[in-house]
């Protein structure tokens, strides 16, 4: 495995993805807005369970600047049990249809680890598959993603949501996540997946220390030449470190999102789109100032 320390000066690799005929340019960082249509997610569970509220919140995030709306219908918080594909689809598909009926130009990703649900969602207009299991929960997922020809978000998770936070251990968390990506990408390519985004899985089978190490080492994943997604929004590494509740963790999330951008993240998955957009604008202003100064 090749993994060497590197100095990254606000580096962003050019990545343009084909989302069912529409181009998604990740050469400049973009925002993915979280739309949980679940009754039990760790932060916003129960807020968006009827279609009127779902469509209204999607509209708010789109107006605030979200490039992607990520719809999830199954809680993957620590301790959560899996629900069936049928139950997940019964929540997810009506929400997806309602959002795209109101906002037909929206790019929507579906947060699912079931190949059947992903296929039905893409057939109804979704453009990206966001799989927290990295293909480990459904052996048909990679083939489905390849056949559907949509971008696939490959996330690392140790264990399953129900048990993943029960004393997770690594010899070196960064090396293990890096190896997982390096070993899995060829399988995705073989299945016909052309566009892959890497998500190191903050909070999924990792202690606070593991999460901070991954954030500090995020630039190393650029060696895999894929865009990097950072999903830090209101997670425990922020609110537990600060002694707060998730509802109070926006400021901490913003701080860590800036670190992620500086370490190479091209996509921020967030609950709070407006604040994340502001963070990206400040990051780009800083980057441009440094570039202008070095070239003068």
């Amino acid at each position: 495995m090749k993994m060497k320390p590197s100095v990254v000066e606000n580096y962003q690799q050019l990545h343009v993805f084909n989302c069912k005929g529409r181009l998604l340019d990740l050469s400049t960082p973009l925002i993915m807005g979280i739309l949980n249509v679940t009754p039990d997610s760790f932060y916003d569970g129960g807020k968006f369970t009827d279609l009127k509220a779902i469509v209204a919140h999607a509209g708010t995030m789109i107006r605030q600047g979200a490039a992607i709306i990520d719809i999830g219908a199954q809680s993957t918080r620590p301790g959560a049990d899996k629900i069936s594909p049928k139950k997940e689809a019964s929540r997810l598909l009506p929400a997806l249809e309602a959002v795209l009926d109101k906002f037909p130009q929206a790019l929507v990703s579906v947060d699912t680890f079931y190949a059947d649900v992903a296929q039905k969602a893409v057939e109804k207009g979704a453009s990206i598959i966001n799989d927290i299991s990295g293909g480990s929960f459904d052996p048909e997922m990679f083939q489905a993603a390849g056949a559907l020809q949509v971008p696939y978000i490959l996330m690392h998770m140790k264990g399953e949501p129900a048990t993943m936070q029960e004393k997770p251990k690594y010899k070196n968390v960064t090396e293990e996540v890096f190896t997982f990506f390096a070993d899995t990408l060829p399988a995705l390519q073989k299945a016909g997946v052309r566009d892959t985004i890497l998500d190191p899985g903050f909070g999924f089978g990792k202690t606070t220390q593991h999460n901070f190490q991954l954030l500090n080492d995020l630039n190393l994943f650029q060696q895999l030449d894929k865009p990097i997604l950072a999903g830090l929004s209101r997670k425990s590494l922020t609110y537990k470190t600060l002694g707060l509740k998730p509802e109070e963790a926006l400021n901490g999330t913003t701080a860590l999102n800036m670190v992620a951008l500086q370490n190479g993240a091209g996509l921020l998955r967030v609950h709070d789109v407006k604040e994340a957009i502001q963070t990206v604008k400040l990051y780009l202003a800083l980057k441009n100032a440094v570039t202008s100064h070095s070239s003068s």
Side-chain angles (χ1 to χ4, degrees):
M1 179 184 65
K2 180 183 179 183
M3 204 175 83
K4 59 185 179 180
S6 61
V7 177
V8 178
E9 295 181 356
N10 301 313
Y11 166 87
Q12 276 296 335
Q13 180 70 36
L14 175 64
H15 291 285
V16 179
F17 282 10
N18 184 347
C19 299
K20 297 177 68 176
R22 295 179 59 194
L23 297 182
L24 180 68
D25 185 354
L26 285 165
S27 59
T28 297
L30 298 177
I31 302 303
M32 171 186 278
I34 299 169
L35 180 53
N36 286 324
V37 296
T38 58
D40 54 349
S41 292
F42 82 96
Y43 167 61
D44 55 1
K47 290 184 178 180
F48 312 111
T49 53
D50 68 86
L51 293 181
K52 185 176 180 180
I54 287 167
V55 170
H57 189 54
T60 296
M61 292 193 291
I62 290 167
R63 287 190 295 273
Q64 290 176 341
I68 304 166
I69 302 299
D70 187 50
I71 302 180
Q74 176 158 196
S75 176
T76 53
R77 74 190 190 286
D81 293 321
K82 293 180 186 176
I83 63 173
S84 69
K86 183 177 180 180
K87 188 171 184 178
E88 183 181 68
S90 72
R91 294 174 179 172
L92 192 151
L93 298 180
L96 171 66
E97 289 182 291
V99 169
L100 288 176
D101 182 61
K102 180 68 174 180
F103 307 104
Q105 297 304 311
L107 281 180
V108 176
S109 65
V110 286
D111 185 351
T112 182
F113 44 72
Y114 292 127
D116 182 61
V117 176
Q119 180 169 341
K120 289 176 180 176
V122 172
E123 289 172 352
K124 290 185 178 295
S127 303
I128 301 169
I129 298 170
N130 182 13
D131 179 7
I132 65 153
S133 80
S136 65
F137 289 176
D138 188 337
E140 302 299 320
M141 179 59 91
F142 287 3
Q143 291 297 326
L148 293 166
Q149 286 295 290
V150 294
Y152 176 83
I153 299 174
L154 174 66
M155 198 192 84
H156 175 275
M157 175 170 56
K158 197 178 188 76
E160 298 190 3
T163 58
M164 64 187 179
Q165 290 306 108
E166 295 178 4
K167 299 181 179 179
K169 293 182 180 180
Y170 301 83
K171 287 186 178 179
N172 184 305
V173 65
T174 304
E175 289 186 5
E176 188 165 324
V177 174
F178 189 100
T179 300
F180 167 75
F181 287 149
D183 290 348
T184 307
L185 283 170
L188 281 166
Q189 186 175 15
K190 185 177 180 180
V193 177
R194 296 179 180 178
D195 297 322
T196 305
I197 297 168
L198 304 179
D199 179 354
F202 293 105
F204 285 85
K206 299 165 185 82
T207 65
T208 297
Q209 183 176 351
H210 293 145
N211 289 318
F212 278 116
Q213 181 181 335
L214 277 172
L215 181 58
N216 188 62
D217 294 342
L218 202 63
N219 55 4
L220 297 174
F221 296 106
Q222 291 179 331
Q223 295 177 59
L224 295 166
D225 195 31
K226 301 292 182 184
I228 301 166
L229 182 154
L232 297 156
S233 185
R234 296 181 180 269
K235 287 188 175 176
S236 62
L237 77 160
T238 301
Y239 68 80
K240 287 186 177 179
T241 299
L242 299 175
L244 303 172
K245 298 176 181 179
E247 293 80 5
E248 303 170 307
L250 175 56
N251 186 56
T253 294
T254 299
L256 296 186
N257 277 339
M258 178 61 86
V259 175
L261 291 169
Q262 291 179 311
N263 284 351
L267 189 60
L268 299 179
R269 183 178 182 274
V270 302
H271 297 91
D272 308 281
V273 170
K274 181 178 69 174
E275 290 80 1
I277 289 287
Q278 292 173 352
T279 306
V280 169
K281 287 181 178 179
L282 291 171
Y283 160 74
L284 292 174
L286 175 63
K287 176 184 176 182
N288 291 336
V290 171
T291 303
S292 298
H293 177 74
S294 62
S295 61
S296 61

